[in-house]
Structures are given as C-alpha cells and as structure tokens.
Amino acid sequence: MDAEQSTHFDRRMLEALVCPETHTVLSYDAERHELVSKAAGLAFPIRNGIPIMLISEARSLDD
C-alpha cells in the first residue's frame, strides 16, 4: 500500500459531500479510494485523504 492509499479518509465527510454534476449522494469505495456517483456514472479520487471533486478528475464508471 502506497502513502496515498494509506492516508485515512474521514467517512463523516461523505455526509456533507454530493456529486458536483447531479447533486446526489456519493458512496465510498474503500478498495479503490474513490467517491462514487452512480447517478452521474463517475468516480472521484481521494488523494492524501482529500476528495478531488472536479468532474475533469473523475473516472468514468464505464472504464
């Protein structure tokens, strides 16, 4: 596990975050260290414990 993945993510933060595209709730994928918006079909990375909520940085779930 690298340093980026070992950084703890505060799951309570998830309650305050919504998808920037659809404004729907996100789910946390602990294995991939991402916040997932099923409504938008996007996964937002978490880097060093910080969610990157930019659509341009998101991974398409179709990948």
Side-chain angles (χ1 to χ4, degrees), residues 8-57:
H8 178 71
F9 172 68
D10 184 356
R11 292 185 189 201
R12 292 174 296 176
M13 185 186 308
L14 179 59
E15 296 173 9
L17 295 176
V18 295
C19 173
E21 185 169 293
T22 64
H23 305 286
T24 56
V25 296
L26 300 165
S27 60
Y28 177 55
D29 183 341
E31 185 176 312
R32 295 188 79 152
H33 302 282
E34 296 175 325
L35 294 176
V36 177
S37 171
K38 292 180 183 175
L42 297 171
F44 298 92
I46 299 171
R47 297 184 187 133
N48 299 318
I50 301 170
I52 309 301
M53 302 304 295
L54 300 171
I55 294 171
S56 62
E57 293 287 321

